[in-house]
Amino acid sequence: MSKAIMKPGPITLDVVGQELNAEDRRRILHPLTGGVILFGRNFKDRKQLTKLTADIKKLRPDVLVSIDHEGGRVQRCREDGFTHLPAMRKLGELWLAKHKSTHAAESAALAMAAATACGYVLATELRACGVDFSFAPVLDLDFGRSGVIGDRSFSRDPQIVFALAKSLNEGLRLAGMANCGKHFPGHGWAEADSHVAIPVDERSLQEILNDDAKPYEWLDLSLAAVMPAHVIYPKVDQNPAGFSKIWLHSVLRQELGFEGVIFSDDLSMEGASVAGSVVKGAEMALDAGCDAVLICNRPDLADQLLSKLKVSKTKQAESAIRLNKLMPNSSAPSWTELQNEAQYQHAKGLLQHLKLIS
């Protein structure tokens, strides 16, 4: 199927187990489906994962197969040869560490090289098993307030977050994978976990734009996708960012000039419950500016969306063009070929030398 006739829909959903069942197949074939997101329960080993992704692609070559695979505690594939990547905070700490030179620039350069290596290893290993895309990197600032973000963040300093994210994104790009900055405009200040609560950030728009949103502004054209936070910023809008035209259209699209894909965060999370029903939430997210909505761990809600969500042909066509740009443009080496690739060996060697992986 050529990219010219690829028509991914706006719904990204998950599958139940380690192989597709009849219900999974029905959902994937639905014209509103545009992506499949995988979780730890979908992974047994590399052979099984590779077969699962191939089966998805046989059904729908235009579906983006994605995963949350950041490193640290958010890494879905951990066994059967997958590299245990460090939490992103480790890269931020490396930036601030003193090495042989007393010059701060040397530590910064080393941290950036390590970030590129992390991105390359992350993407090449996933792509060798047929996964197209990972929802990474986290661009949230580490204020020491949010347990759900915590060590997933590179740093409190937006300049360090920007530089390390840019470097990690370069590693992803070298491996043929796009990137996704999250959680716009920033989840680091809000203490509540949006998986189980509705976080609130009382700061002003200007405070957030001058601090948390800076990595998004500076990454500019190199940012392929963005996922907004299920956080309410009441001084800006009563709706969470993912349902807010102010945040997604006025700020992200217009003020920051972002042209890539906007994914909603998972609509089954508690932070999305303010929208009401899952269909209402999806409608609000798409109306606010999202190109795609995620529904995870609730096949019943996925079915509600597939049967009841109405999306205009114009909106779907516009979003499909953006979504297609996230698909890899090149074929990936097999796992066996990857082990002998000089760039992969170099990247892993650097991370081992810096004691970021074992």
Side-chain angles (χ1 to χ4, degrees):
M1 186 182 283
S2 72
K3 281 198 172 183
I5 57 170
M6 280 185 161
K7 294 183 178 178
I11 298 173
T12 292
L13 43 75
D14 55 7
V15 295
V16 174
Q18 294 174 357
E19 57 187 38
L20 298 181
N21 63 30
E23 292 295 284
D24 292 326
R25 292 174 186 276
R26 174 182 61 77
R27 293 184 189 106
I28 292 167
L29 285 168
H30 196 288
L32 285 179
T33 299
V36 174
I37 181 169
L38 303 177
F39 289 91
R41 67 171 184 275
N42 304 123
F43 174 76
K44 177 186 174 186
D45 54 37
R46 287 185 283 106
K47 183 180 179 182
Q48 168 271 324
L49 177 63
T50 305
K51 183 178 187 309
L52 176 61
T53 57
D55 288 346
I56 293 168
K57 291 290 185 180
K58 276 181 204 163
L59 286 177
R60 284 284 299 277
D62 60 336
V63 156
L64 186 76
V65 179
S66 62
I67 197 165
D68 267 333
H69 197 86
E70 303 166 7
R73 59 193 153 100
V74 182
Q75 180 168 331
R76 308 303 187 199
C77 307
R78 295 171 172 268
E79 309 299 329
D80 200 15
F82 271 91
T83 303
H84 288 212
L85 293 163
M88 294 301 100
R89 177 186 283 167
K90 294 287 184 188
L91 298 173
E93 289 170 350
L94 184 61
W95 179 293
L96 298 171
K98 288 284 188 290
H99 290 277
K100 291 175 186 174
S101 165
T102 54
H103 203 290
E106 182 176 320
S107 294
L110 204 54
M112 290 167 71
T116 302
C118 277
Y120 191 75
V121 171
L122 184 159
T124 51
E125 291 183 351
L126 288 175
R127 289 205 61 211
C129 297
V131 179
D132 301 317
F133 181 75
S134 177
F135 289 98
V138 168
L139 300 181
D140 301 316
L141 307 186
D142 182 12
F143 292 96
R145 294 168 59 91
S146 172
V148 73
I149 301 302
D151 65 359
R152 296 165 66 192
S153 166
F154 290 105
S155 174
R156 163 63 186 91
D157 186 334
Q159 294 184 27
I160 295 175
V161 171
F162 154 69
L164 292 178
K166 175 94 170 171
S167 301
L168 186 126
N169 288 351
E170 174 65 4
L172 298 177
R173 189 191 67 77
L174 288 168
M177 185 178 281
N179 60 72
C180 181
K182 61 186 186 184
H183 306 83
F184 179 80
H187 199 316
W189 184 265
E191 293 182 75
D193 177 354
S194 53
H195 293 86
V196 295
I198 302 170
V200 176
D201 184 334
E202 297 280 359
R203 293 175 302 159
S204 69
L205 174 63
Q206 211 51 53
E207 268 184 284
I208 296 163
L209 290 179
N210 289 344
D211 207 359
D212 305 61
K214 280 298 181 186
Y216 295 90
E217 179 185 341
W218 294 331
L219 284 165
D220 197 29
L221 289 174
S222 66
L223 200 56
V226 164
M227 178 178 283
H230 281 328
V231 174
I232 297 173
Y233 308 85
K235 290 186 178 168
V236 181
D237 194 341
Q238 292 306 307
N239 290 315
F243 303 128
S244 167
K245 286 184 181 178
I246 297 173
W247 281 117
L248 301 188
H249 182 70
S250 301
V251 177
L252 186 58
R253 291 281 190 220
Q254 291 191 317
E255 192 168 334
L256 301 184
F258 178 67
E259 294 289 339
V261 174
I262 303 177
F263 287 95
S264 83
D265 207 341
D266 178 11
L267 293 177
S268 72
M269 287 164 57
E270 184 61 28
S273 66
V274 294
S277 72
V278 70
V279 177
K280 179 65 175 170
E283 288 171 348
M284 284 180 66
L286 294 170
D287 188 50
C290 288
D291 297 292
V293 294
L294 269 68
I295 183 69
C296 309
N297 306 309
R298 289 289 301 273
D300 56 324
L301 296 184
D303 283 338
Q304 281 186 39
L305 277 186
L306 293 173
S307 63
K308 295 180 181 175
L309 184 63
K310 300 286 188 283
V311 187
S312 75
K313 287 184 179 178
T314 305
K315 167 75 176 177
Q316 190 163 338
E318 181 184 298
S319 294
I321 291 168
R322 290 195 183 111
L323 285 162
N324 283 333
K325 290 179 181 175
L326 299 183
M327 294 289 282
N329 285 317
S330 58
S331 58
S334 70
W335 190 274
T336 303
E337 290 167 338
L338 181 61
Q339 303 314 301
N340 297 317
E341 188 198 80
Q343 273 182 293
Y344 176 73
Q345 291 176 345
H346 177 84
K348 283 196 73 171
L350 175 63
L351 296 176
Q352 284 165 342
H353 174 70
L354 295 171
K355 297 184 169 52
L356 292 168
I357 64 171
S358 55

